[in-house]
Amino acid sequence: MEAAESEITWLRQLLQQLQFGDTQGTKLICDNQGALHIASNPVFHEWTKHIKIDCHLVREKILLGEITTDLL
């Protein structure tokens, strides 16, 4: 999810620089229900302590409304 989020952020910035118009929230479709739950839940549990900073970046983009998540 983090790699896709980075590409989405890059493309959104490119479209803004080209003055393509207002870019609304982009839908990020994921087939991993656990990853969606971790990205949307602000509370970390013991079993998620191995998650790197990438999860925080994805969660921040979701809270800002730049991306929305959906299950495949």
Side-chain angles (χ1 to χ4, degrees):
M1 283 181 71
E2 192 277 328
E5 184 277 324
S6 295
E7 292 292 323
I8 289 171
T9 301
W10 182 83
L11 287 170
R12 288 172 55 91
Q13 290 175 353
L14 176 66
L15 291 174
Q16 287 176 349
Q17 289 177 358
L18 294 174
Q19 299 175 352
F20 188 67
D22 186 28
T23 55
Q24 297 178 354
T26 306
K27 184 180 280 191
L28 178 60
I29 298 175
C30 179
D31 64 348
N32 188 336
Q33 192 173 21
L36 289 173
H37 179 70
I38 291 171
S40 63
N41 188 3
V43 177
F44 275 103
H45 299 285
E46 184 66 28
W47 56 274
T48 60
K49 69 180 182 181
H50 68 281
I51 302 293
K52 295 181 183 177
I53 197 73
D54 300 340
C55 181
H56 294 287
L57 181 65
V58 172
R59 183 179 300 144
E60 179 182 331
K61 297 294 181 173
I62 291 171
L63 292 175
L64 291 174
E66 293 183 18
I67 62 171
T68 57
T69 56
D70 196 10
L71 187 61
L72 180 67

